[in-house]
Amino acid sequence: MTIPSKVRIFEVGARDGLQNEKQMVPTHIKVELIERLVDAGVTAIETGSFVSPKWVPQMADTAEVMAKIKRREGVTYAVLTPNIKGYEGAVAAEADEIEIFSAASETFNQRNINCSIAESLERFVPVTEAAKKAGIPYRASVSCALGSPFDEEINPKVVADVARKLYDMGAYEVSVADTIGVGTPIRTKKVIEAVAEVMPLEAVGVHFHDTYGQALANYLAALEMGVSKLDSSVAGLGGCPYAPGATGNVATEDVVYMLDGMGIESGIDLNKLVRTAWFISDYLGRAPVSSVARALKGKLD
Ligand code: HMG
Ligand code: MG
C-alpha cells in the first residue's frame, strides 16, 4: 500500500477537545470555533455530543450549538451519540452524521458509558437501525485500541473483533482510537493490520491522542499503511473525562504541517487553522499544546 495523496481530517476539537474543559465554554465561543475551523477548510467536524449532561456537562448545549452554526454546503456536521436518546437529539438537531462508540477495554467502557462492550453493541442496534432508515450515515470508534488506562493488556484481536462488529452494523468507517495516547508506531501498525484483516482498510480511520507525544509518529505509521482518515483536534484540545491521564488528540495544526510537508492534500489552510488554534487557546487562557501553532505565532501570512 502506498501513502495516500489525499486525506480526510475529521476535526474533533469542539467535542473531544472541549468535553474535557473544566470551565464552561459559552455556546457562542463554540459556534465561532466551529465556523472558523470550517473557514480554514475543515469539511468534517464533530460539533458536540448528545450524552448525559450529568456525565459530561460541557456538552449540554450541543443542540444550541447546532442551531446556531451557519451550515456550509459540503461540510459534515457530526455528533457523538451513546444511545437512542442521543440519536433522537442528533436527529432533532439535524446532524449530518452520528458517531457510535465502543471500546477494547471492558473497564473503560463501563466507566465511559456504564455498560459492557457487548451491551454497548446491543445498545447501538436500534440507533443504527433508525439511522439507516433515516439515511443518516454513521461512523464508529473503538476506544483503548492501543492501550488501556486500567493496567490491562489490549489484544489487537479484541480491537479487530469490536471493529468488525461495528462495521457489520453499517458504520462507514471504524476509527482505531488511542484514547490515552500510549501507542507507538510498530504497535499502531500491528493493530491496524489486525483490523484490516477483518474489514476493508479503506474504512479504517485513526484517532490518536498525544499524551506521550507519539501521535504524529503513529499517524505516519498509519499513512504508510494507506490509512487516509485521520481525526485531530485544533490546538491539541482535550482528553476523555473517563480515561484517567488522557490528554488531547494530536493538534490538527501539527498534522496539517506534516501533511503539507509530505505533499499530502488535506484541504486545510494552515494559517487560518493556526489563527483558530490561538483563538480558542486565548479564550481558555493558555497556549496551544501544538508546537506548530506556537512556532507560527507572529509569522502568519
Ligand atoms: P446511564 O446513567 O447508565 O443512563 O448513563 P440511563 O439510561 O440509566 O439514564 C440515566 C439518566 O441519563 C436519565 O435521566 C436519562 O434520561 C439520561 P434522569 O432520568 O436521571 O434525569 N440520559 C441522557 N441524557 C441526555 N442524553 C442522552 C442520555 N442518555 C440517558 N443520550 C450514558 C449512560 C451513556 C447516558 C452515560 O454513561 C453517558 O452519557 N456517557 C457519555 C460519556 C461521554 O460522553 N464520554 C466521552 C465521549 S467518548 C470519547 O471521548 C472517546 C472517543 O473520543 C474515542 C477515543 O478517544 O477513545 C470517542
Ligand atoms: Mg478521543
Side-chain angles (χ1 to χ4, degrees):
M1 196 72 187
T2 51
I3 293 184
S5 57
K6 195 176 172 179
V7 297
R8 190 256 17 235
I9 291 195
F10 213 106
E11 169 58 48
V12 299
R15 194 280 305 169
D16 206 357
L18 295 184
Q19 73 179 9
N20 214 37
E21 289 298 326
K22 297 271 178 300
Q23 55 165 310
M24 289 309 277
V25 178
T27 307
H28 73 94
I29 294 288
K30 294 177 181 171
V31 169
E32 183 166 350
L33 173 65
I34 291 162
E35 290 181 350
R36 280 177 179 253
L37 286 163
V38 169
D39 193 49
V42 167
T43 55
I45 186 160
E46 263 187 342
T47 59
S49 57
F50 285 99
V51 300
S52 162
K54 285 185 194 138
W55 285 61
V56 187
Q58 186 68 259
M59 293 288 110
D61 64 345
T62 295
E64 223 180 317
V65 170
M66 286 293 278
K68 289 195 168 143
I69 43 180
K70 279 184 223 86
R71 308 274 183 114
R72 193 87 62 86
E73 223 184 295
V75 176
T76 297
Y77 298 90
V79 294
L80 194 78
T81 54
N83 54 19
I84 195 75
K85 189 170 167 114
Y87 170 78
E88 284 158 5
V91 172
E94 295 179 18
D96 297 311
E97 192 176 302
I98 59 163
E99 179 171 346
I100 59 175
F101 52 108
S102 189
S105 156
E106 286 290 357
T107 314
F108 174 77
N109 218 54
Q110 281 292 350
R111 302 235 183 151
N112 194 37
I113 48 176
N114 208 18
C115 63
S116 68
I117 296 170
E119 281 164 345
S120 71
L121 296 171
E122 274 164 37
R123 206 181 259 184
F124 286 124
V125 171
V127 174
T128 55
E129 279 173 358
K132 256 184 234 160
K133 260 194 216 137
I136 299 175
Y138 45 96
R139 65 179 199 137
S141 66
V142 184
S143 289
C144 300
L146 300 182
S148 162
F150 303 111
D151 198 23
E152 55 185 344
E153 275 295 309
I154 298 294
N155 183 343
K157 283 202 167 73
V158 173
V159 180
D161 181 55
V162 178
R164 171 73 206 213
K165 286 177 175 147
L166 290 163
Y167 183 70
D168 284 346
M169 286 164 76
Y172 74 85
E173 171 187 333
V174 181
S175 209
V176 170
D178 186 8
T179 315
I180 53 163
V182 288
T184 48
I186 302 294
R187 177 85 183 154
T188 300
K189 284 193 172 173
K190 281 196 178 129
V191 172
I192 293 174
E193 247 162 44
V195 174
E197 265 173 36
V198 299
M199 60 176 276
L201 182 73
E202 299 70 49
V204 177
V206 280
H207 173 108
F208 296 156
H209 288 248
D210 199 29
T211 318
Y212 286 79
Q214 305 294 302
L216 273 186
N218 296 340
Y219 275 124
L220 181 58
L223 286 164
E224 282 172 353
M225 296 184 75
V227 172
S228 64
K229 295 168 175 2
L230 320 178
D231 290 5
S232 58
S233 171
V234 65
L237 295 175
C240 177
Y242 295 101
T247 63
N249 292 74
V250 65
T252 309
E253 312 83 272
D254 292 1
V255 176
V256 170
Y257 180 86
M258 180 176 88
L259 295 170
D260 284 355
M262 294 172 71
I264 300 174
E265 201 184 313
S266 70
I268 298 178
D269 178 306
L270 188 60
N271 280 330
K272 285 185 176 174
L273 184 64
V274 168
R275 284 204 173 87
T276 306
W278 278 100
F279 158 76
I280 189 63
S281 299
D282 285 344
Y283 177 80
L284 295 170
R286 57 170 191 260
V289 294
S290 157
S291 308
V292 169
R294 279 184 273 129
L296 287 181
K297 196 183 188 205
K299 289 191 197 160
L300 299 171
D301 301 342

